[in-house]
Structure formats: C-alpha cells, structure tokens
Amino acid sequence: MIDVKNLTKSFGDHLVLHNISEHIHPGEKVVVIGPSGSGKSTFLRCLNLLETPTSGSITFEGQEITDPKADINAIRRQMGMVFQHFNLFPNMTIRKNITLAPVRTKLMSQAEADETAITLLKRVGLEEKADAYPAQLSGGQKQRIAIVRALAMKPKLMLFDEPTSALDPEMVGEVLAVMKELAHEGMTMVVVTHEMGFAREVGTRVLFMDEGKILEQNEPHAFFANPKEQRTIDFLSKVL
Amino acid sequence: MEKFWADFTKKFTMAFVTGDRWKLYLRGMGTTLELTACALVIGVILGVLVAVIRSAHDQQRLGKRNFALGVLNVLCKIYTTVIRGTPMLVQLLIWGFIIFKTSRNRFFVGMLGLGINSGAYVAEIVRGGLMSVDAGQSEAGRSLGLDYVDTMRFIIVPQAFKNILPALGNEFIVLFKDTSLVSAIGAAEVLYYAEAVGSKTYEYMFPYIGTAVMYLVFCIILTWLQGMLERRLRQSDRR
C-alpha cells in the first residue's frame, strides 16, 4: 500500500531520518515506538508529505507521492491523519469540523456529509455534541472528534501521531477504544505511540526507531518477549 | 479679567462664528473622514494582498518554489521596506509635488498617498495575524486534502482576523490622525481650513485648538467602538 524507499530527511544539518526503506501492506496495523527525537513522528509526517523528504521516494498505491507533479491534495484525501494536539478548528462547530473537507473537496454533498457526520458521531458516542464548539469539549472528546473528522473522508489508511500523549490519563482509554474498533474493522493504520499495551494488543507489527533508523521490527508478541538489539532492550526496560 | 474674557470672546467669534466659519471646519472634518475611509479601503486591500503573497511564498514546500511568486514576494518586500522606512510627510510631498504635480484633484492624491502608506503597515499586521494561527491548524486542513486556498479561507483567515482586530483598530486611528498631513499638499481637510481661517484673521490659537478638539472627540469615539468590538469577540471565546 505504501512503499518507502531510501527515505532521508534532514532539518538543516540535523539528520532526522536516515535512509529508511519500509513497506506497509493493506490491513496492517503498524505501531512505531522509540525514544523522543528518534524520528518516528517525522517518519509518519513524511508519509502524507507534511514533511518533504530530503531524498528518497514514497509510493502510495502505485502513485509516487514524492514526485513534484503528484496531486498531493488528492493523495491526502485518501489518508486520514490524527494529531497529538487534535487540531480541531476552534472557529467551527463539530458538525462543520467534520463536514468541511468532504464538502469542499466535492466528495459529498452537504446533506450526505451531515448524515455521515451523525453516523460517525453516534459510533463514538458524541452525537449530542454536533453543534458544540471544540472549546466546550474535553481532550478525549476532542480526539475522538478528530478521528471522526479524518474518517469522514473515507480514507484508505489512517496515520496517528501520538494520539493519546496530550490526554489526561483517564481519557486515554476512550480514545484507544475507538482506535481498537477501527483496527478490528480492518483499517490500515500506522500509529506512533507510547502506549505499549496498545502496541501489543492491536499492532500486527512493531517498528522500533532510534536515531533516524528502524533498528528492529517484529510481530508484537515476539518483539516484546525477546527483543534482539541492546538498544531495544534498554528502551523497553524503561517504559514497561 | 474682564479684558481677558472680552478678548477671548472676540477671538473665538472670529475663529468660528464670523461668516459661518464653523461650517468650514465641519466640511473639512467631512473630507477628513472620507479620506480616512477611502485610504483605509486601499490600505486593507493592498495590505491583505501583500500579506497573502508574502506568507504564501514563505509556506511553499522545498523544491517546489514558484518563480512568479518569488518575484512578487521581492516586490512586496521592497514596497513595505520603502514605505515603512520613509516619513509619511515626505512620501506625501513626493506624491503631491513630484509624481502628481499637475493633478488638481488634491483629495485623490492625498487618498492615494495615505492608502499606499497604510497598506504597508496593514500588510505586516495581517501577516503577523496569519502567522499567529497555530501551524497545526493548517496541517490539519491540508492533511484532510483541502487545498491551500480553502485552508486559508475557512480555517486560517477567520482565526487570524480575530487576532488582528485590535492592531487593525489602532492602525485605523493612526490613519485618521495622519490625514492631517495631506493639508501639506493642499487637500482641503480640516487642518487646511483651520490654517485658512488663521491666515485670514491672523489668529491661529482657536483654529488649531478647535481642530485638535475635533480630532480628540472622534478618536475617543473610535477607541470606545474598538473596545466594544473586542469585548464582544472575547465573549465568544469563552463559549
């Protein structure tokens, strides 16, 4: 589904991603873990070109998105993204937050989008918040809305950039529950997270990143049971 | 004391009452307000245009630079640098006595000079406003597949507008007072009439003080309106 070849990204002199090659298959739930500054968020943000790679290529469903001529907006419509800080639009109601993109990109009419919004809001148990503004919601509610907003575009793939890191501990569960449900429905997901429980339970593959490289990867049970690299062992001993 | 009051009354009458001179000040104030409004429109249009060009240029992705945008960006930078780096009075004198030295429509020349000057300041205010919106907002819009224009129109600009209203209000008040400078190139606004009355009666104190009082009254009203608007916008934040 996504093919990453020799991806390198540097900010000035600072090398963040070092020659990464990776393939993500449809239906996979890839969980990316690693210490802060290891480049995992940058890796994720390169996948929908929020960061422009310094070199290397990324192909999404046969289309090279790193090609300067590629229609990046059309490609982004097929990839949902959820951010650490939610990034809901504070100047709009929840309904408008969800329907703006499908309507403006002519994916749906306003009526269809409204219907989709309500259906999705019901799924996350927030249909009564449709006419509220983001400032009236708790962090967990905001993040669930952010997931719904991304889903309204009917994406083929969802990218999660530390979706629970900015939440109060008691709200982490409600967001993870929505993500788990999404995973069970077969959505392809790439999740950058510090939630090891989620990685173990939902992930089909765990990537461990350090210093801009994918140091080790495995199926989650094997990964957590017997990590091979010393760096991975050190990291896991600190977070588990 | 009695002599002082007699003198005061005489000079006051000379400055404002004789020959219905108060009508001149009012007519001048009318022109001042018209000048402010016209210059403000020019300033806002120019300012928004420049701000959008400047920030569109700065936000381009690496390796996808647009040449035309680069040229426009340089022109905009020259414009703001020259206008903000030279005194308004000098600019007006250049407009009035060099570029448009044969034009007899002094109102138009003054309006143009003020508007072009104001545009440079508005541009920086608007650009600051656009930059004040969290980068995550634009990332969220773009990651949903919205293009640059839609992201600006529905997400960034409405939020930026709220942030820049106080600064824009101040710019408006400054512009209002700066219209008095166009009397130097012969546009018939309030100070121009005050000077005309002074030179006819050889008595400048009342015309000048009268002008100052008129400006002050309007500025107090404008400041009060601005405060009301800001309070209303703040209320919607707390929703």
Side-chain angles (χ1 to χ4, degrees):
Chain A
M1 187 170 224
I2 292 193
D3 197 33
V4 180
K5 279 206 192 92
N6 306 325
L7 171 65
T8 296
K9 171 73 184 175
S10 50
F11 294 107
D13 292 337
H14 182 54
L15 190 64
V16 185
L17 295 178
H18 190 69
N19 205 23
I20 290 182
S21 294
E22 193 52 67
H23 193 88
I24 293 159
H25 299 275
E28 269 197 303
K29 293 98 182 74
V30 177
V31 180
V32 187
I33 61 172
S36 36
S38 59
K40 48 193 193 314
S41 280
T42 308
F43 172 66
L44 192 77
R45 289 160 59 83
C46 279
L47 296 181
N48 70 349
L49 242 53
L50 282 184
E51 302 291 352
T52 313
T54 310
S55 67
S57 73
I58 301 169
T59 312
F60 176 69
E61 303 219 298
Q63 218 182 344
E64 194 187 326
I65 67 176
T66 37
D67 182 352
K69 284 186 222 77
D71 181 356
I72 185 60
N73 294 323
I75 294 163
R76 282 177 179 151
R77 276 165 213 160
Q78 304 173 52
M79 305 183 181
M81 178 142 185
V82 176
F83 299 86
Q84 180 177 1
H85 296 288
F86 332 127
N87 296 346
L88 294 181
F89 309 132
N91 55 324
M92 302 173 200
T93 61
I94 299 308
R95 190 193 309 276
K96 186 80 193 188
N97 261 279
I98 299 169
T99 59
L100 178 72
V103 173
R104 288 303 302 175
T105 58
K106 302 199 169 62
L107 186 71
M108 299 175 197
S109 68
Q110 184 68 50
E112 284 172 311
D114 283 339
E115 205 175 308
T116 310
I118 290 300
T119 315
L120 287 169
L121 283 173
K122 273 187 187 143
R123 253 182 56 181
V124 299
L126 290 171
E127 71 268 31
E128 80 279 12
K129 298 291 186 192
D131 295 307
Y133 282 85
Q136 296 166 309
L137 305 183
S138 72
Q141 291 173 329
K142 281 184 198 166
Q143 195 61 298
R144 283 186 280 159
I145 301 288
I147 294 173
V148 163
R149 180 176 69 177
L151 287 177
M153 290 298 288
K154 304 198 185 307
K156 295 176 178 158
L157 165 84
M158 287 283 283
L159 307 173
F160 292 85
D161 188 4
E162 302 198 21
T164 56
S165 299
L167 296 175
D168 286 346
E170 55 175 342
M171 291 171 181
V172 171
E174 61 191 67
V175 171
L176 290 182
V178 172
M179 290 169 63
K180 275 177 202 164
E181 204 190 308
L182 202 57
H184 288 312
E185 286 165 16
M187 176 65 79
T188 312
M189 295 161 73
V190 183
V191 186
V192 171
T193 188
H194 296 293
E195 294 292 328
M196 297 303 147
F198 179 84
R200 199 191 305 253
E201 197 182 330
V202 182
T204 55
R205 187 150 59 107
V206 179
L207 307 183
F208 176 74
M209 284 185 72
D210 190 39
E211 292 178 347
K213 291 180 195 152
I214 298 176
L215 213 58
E216 179 169 359
Q217 59 170 297
N218 210 336
E219 177 274 322
H221 294 281
F223 178 86
F224 288 108
N226 42 37
K228 294 183 186 68
E229 299 284 332
Q230 189 54 43
R231 187 71 188 86
T232 319
I233 297 167
D234 290 347
F235 176 77
L236 289 177
S237 72
K238 280 180 201 142
V239 297
L240 287 178
Chain B
M1 196 64 200
E2 228 162 86
K3 192 167 164 285
F4 172 82
W5 280 116
D7 194 41
F8 185 97
T9 318
K10 191 182 136 227
K11 283 181 176 168
F12 183 89
T13 313
M14 213 158 65
F16 298 113
V17 184
T18 316
D20 279 347
R21 281 186 184 134
W22 57 275
K23 280 186 182 164
L24 288 178
Y25 295 92
L26 285 190
R27 194 193 301 161
M29 203 61 203
T31 310
T32 292
L33 291 173
E34 272 175 59
L35 258 177
T36 311
C38 294
L40 188 77
V41 171
I42 297 177
V44 167
I45 292 172
L46 265 178
V48 170
L49 206 67
V50 170
V52 168
I53 290 172
R54 296 268 281 112
S55 40
H57 175 268
D58 292 349
Q59 283 167 11
Q60 286 179 100
R61 283 194 286 137
L62 289 160
K64 236 190 153 182
R65 299 253 172 206
N66 183 323
F67 179 71
L69 204 54
V71 172
L72 283 173
N73 182 53
V74 170
L75 288 177
C76 291
K77 265 188 175 164
I78 293 173
Y79 164 66
T80 48
T81 308
V82 169
I83 295 293
R84 298 199 310 155
T86 52
M88 169 97 112
L89 182 58
V90 176
Q91 287 169 26
L92 283 170
L93 293 174
I94 291 173
W95 285 116
F97 297 128
I98 298 185
I99 299 173
F100 291 110
K101 66 177 168 197
T102 53
S103 167
R104 296 175 62 195
N105 192 342
R106 297 277 106 181
F107 176 88
F108 178 79
V109 176
M111 173 187 91
L112 206 66
L114 285 169
I116 287 173
N117 179 282
S118 175
Y121 290 92
V122 172
E124 290 302 294
I125 293 171
V126 173
R127 201 166 69 88
L130 294 176
M131 288 195 305
S132 75
V133 179
D134 179 35
Q137 290 290 309
S138 148
E139 285 178 358
R142 297 307 300 275
S143 77
L144 286 164
L146 293 171
D147 60 23
Y148 178 76
V149 174
D150 273 1
T151 305
M152 287 301 265
R153 179 172 156 204
F154 294 101
I155 300 162
I156 309 299
V157 171
Q159 293 181 57
F161 180 70
K162 209 165 170 177
N163 294 347
I164 64 174
L165 254 183
L168 216 51
N170 286 339
E171 172 59 22
F172 178 56
I173 290 171
V174 168
L175 179 65
F176 169 67
K177 287 182 297 183
D178 281 352
T179 55
S180 63
L181 291 170
V182 304
S183 64
I185 58 166
E189 46 69 75
V190 62
L191 184 61
Y192 178 88
Y193 284 115
E195 286 189 320
V197 170
S199 67
K200 197 162 187 183
T201 58
Y202 303 107
E203 164 48 53
Y204 283 95
M205 187 178 86
F206 282 97
Y208 281 167
I209 287 179
T211 305
V213 168
M214 287 173 89
Y215 270 109
L216 185 61
V217 167
F218 273 96
C219 278
I220 289 170
I221 294 173
L222 286 173
T223 311
W224 177 72
L225 284 174
Q226 190 194 354
M228 258 200 352
L229 192 63
E230 274 172 43
R231 270 194 299 281
R232 278 192 54 176
L233 282 174
R234 261 209 305 275
Q235 260 167 14
S236 69
D237 271 347
R238 276 195 237 104
R239 253 187 307 243

